[in-house]
Amino acid sequence: MVVISRPGDEIVGGGKNANYIKETKELILGNKGIEKIRGFEEFTSLESLWLYGNKLKKINNLDVNFRIRTLHVQDNQICTLKGSLSSFKFLETLDIANNQLRDLEKLLKSLEKFKFLKHLNLKGNPCCEEPDYRLLVIHAMPGLKVLDQHVIATAEQVKAKGLIGGDIATLTVAFGKRTPELPASYFVPNPPQSRIERELVQEAAWVSDKRTIERGEAELAMFSYNPHPDIPRNGSLPPNAGTKRAMETWHTQTLDASRDMSLSMGPSPFADTGISNRTLGSASQPSSSNSSYVAKDHLVLYSCTPSQNQELLFAGTKTTQPGPGSVYFDAKGYKRFVDLKSTGTLGVWDMRKNEVRI
């Protein structure tokens, strides 16, 4: 059985009062399973009509209701805009989402006739899947304000006018203002430079390079006053020239100061062993052939032990021998060395060199 609309049942009195029918401006007939529209001939003052959630396939039998401004027919089975829709000359809002509308080009030919249409909702229709759907609708209906429940931005209108309408002039609009056209003289190539102009350009480039070099030398000079710069680690670049010169000067001054102090304190206890103060100083200053600075985590230790009675000497220190990577000073062995040296019975001593990473 086909379900038809019965608009008279929705007003007071069940449609028996003719005055109520003529004065009715709004009707809601949503979710009633209506398949065909009937009974709207006497509703001549109708302005808003809701027919959502039914089974309509087209909008017809509403030619008399030309005053309709708002029409909601979403969630139906509408597949064409032919019929009574063209009679609504004052239509402002059309919600026809979730139907079966196809062929966007034909739809736009019908919709662009509504000069007062401000709100249009076509979501959920197959036509929305066509390329550049939104730009095509905006270009075809310039008076539209809201499309698919989203306000149309000015940037979209400009884009639609340029890409769809082919208006190249819109591409020269920036911040709402058209950029001025360039004069013809702008496209004339520059005349060739004279000899004096070329020389001036070269001299300006030479002055710029010279100032760059001077700024670099000034930066290097700043490092020459820092005797304790940070040492680069983990394979980073070596220190710059100013840092290297400062470190070499500092090592030389430190070595001279230690030599003067040893001379003032008397002969070195290592005199008979062939180890000089410079040899001891080499522990803190490596050779220039390897590196110009000493890593702070590298320590070189020299130890002196007698060649005789070594088992007796090491018997007392074996239990307190430090683990690898630690620093240990044998106070007893050093005291015995000093005593024997002062009495002239130093004998034969073995010198050992240990490298420790802190």
Side-chain angles (χ1 to χ4, degrees):
M1 182 177 178
V2 179
V3 180
I4 63 175
S5 61
R6 302 176 62 89
D9 296 342
E10 304 299 325
I11 63 176
V12 178
K16 296 180 180 180
N17 192 326
N19 292 329
Y20 287 168
I21 294 176
K22 292 181 179 180
E23 294 177 359
T24 301
K25 293 186 177 182
E26 295 185 4
L27 270 179
I28 299 176
L29 297 172
N31 297 321
K32 294 184 178 298
I34 299 174
E35 300 179 29
K36 292 185 178 181
I37 300 175
R38 298 290 189 274
F40 285 89
E41 291 78 6
E42 298 181 0
F43 291 84
T44 55
S45 300
L46 193 62
E47 295 182 0
S48 300
L49 178 60
W50 280 266
L51 290 170
Y52 57 87
N54 291 295
K55 299 179 181 180
L56 300 175
K57 294 185 179 180
K58 60 181 180 179
I59 304 171
N60 57 358
N61 299 321
L62 294 174
D63 297 340
V64 181
N65 312 105
F66 60 89
R67 291 185 175 88
I68 290 180
R69 298 176 180 269
T70 302
L71 179 62
H72 294 268
V73 288
Q74 66 270 27
D75 300 321
N76 280 278
Q77 301 173 9
I78 299 174
C79 57
T80 179
L81 295 182
K82 295 180 180 180
S84 300
L85 190 63
S86 58
S87 302
F88 307 151
K89 302 297 183 180
F90 306 100
L91 190 64
E92 297 178 357
T93 301
L94 175 61
D95 191 346
I96 196 170
N98 300 322
N99 282 279
Q100 301 298 323
L101 296 175
R102 303 175 184 273
D103 196 345
L104 182 60
E105 184 178 358
K106 292 183 178 180
L107 294 176
L108 291 178
K109 289 182 179 179
S110 300
L111 293 173
E112 64 185 6
K113 298 178 182 179
F114 298 100
K115 303 302 181 181
F116 300 97
L117 190 61
K118 305 297 182 183
H119 300 263
L120 176 63
N121 189 5
L122 293 172
K123 286 198 310 182
N125 288 281
C127 64
C128 298
E129 300 178 2
E130 297 187 18
D132 296 327
Y133 149 76
R134 188 172 177 87
L135 293 179
L136 289 170
V137 176
I138 293 173
H139 178 258
M141 307 178 67
L144 206 60
K145 301 299 182 183
V146 180
L147 176 60
D148 296 342
Q149 300 177 344
H150 290 279
V151 178
I152 298 175
T154 305
E156 290 181 306
Q157 295 176 342
V158 174
K159 186 176 181 180
K161 188 176 180 180
L163 298 180
I164 307 302
D167 186 4
I168 305 300
T170 58
L171 302 178
T172 62
V173 175
F175 303 103
K177 296 182 179 179
R178 189 178 306 280
T179 57
E181 296 183 359
L182 298 175
S185 59
Y186 178 82
F187 301 97
V188 177
N190 295 327
Q193 295 179 342
S194 63
R195 179 180 177 182
I196 297 178
E197 290 176 340
R198 291 195 300 269
E199 292 178 354
L200 290 176
V201 170
Q202 294 177 357
E203 185 175 357
W206 178 81
V207 172
S208 178
D209 295 340
K210 182 180 179 181
R211 291 179 178 178
T212 303
I213 295 174
E214 291 176 353
R215 285 195 298 268
E217 292 177 350
E219 292 181 0
L220 292 177
M222 292 175 61
F223 288 96
S224 62
Y225 298 99
N226 185 6
H228 304 287
D230 293 333
I231 304 301
R233 303 292 180 90
N234 300 327
S236 59
L237 296 175
N240 54 58
T243 304
K244 293 171 66 176
R245 289 195 300 270
M247 294 188 66
E248 292 174 357
T249 303
W250 178 74
H251 284 304
T252 303
Q253 295 175 355
T254 304
L255 184 60
D256 294 340
S258 61
R259 186 185 299 108
D260 296 340
M261 183 179 295
S262 61
L263 293 176
S264 62
M265 294 177 62
S268 172
F270 297 96
D272 295 343
T273 60
I275 302 177
S276 63
N277 291 333
R278 183 173 297 277
T279 305
L280 292 175
S282 63
S284 60
Q285 181 180 8
S287 61
S288 59
S289 60
N290 296 332
S291 175
S292 60
Y293 62 89
V294 179
K296 294 182 180 179
D297 57 355
H298 188 75
L299 180 64
V300 180
L301 299 178
Y302 291 91
S303 61
C304 303
T305 57
S307 60
Q308 56 184 357
N309 299 328
Q310 291 185 2
E311 296 182 359
L312 179 61
L313 179 62
F314 291 122
T317 60
K318 187 176 297 184
T319 57
T320 60
Q321 185 175 3
S326 60
V327 181
Y328 173 74
F329 176 69
D330 189 0
K332 294 182 179 180
Y334 180 73
K335 185 176 183 305
R336 182 179 180 184
F337 167 79
V338 174
D339 294 341
L340 293 177
K341 174 63 179 176
S342 61
T343 57
T345 58
L346 181 61
V348 181
W349 287 73
D350 294 333
M351 307 301 298
R352 289 183 175 83
K353 175 183 177 181
N354 298 323
E355 297 184 4
V356 179
R357 294 186 65 85
I358 302 176

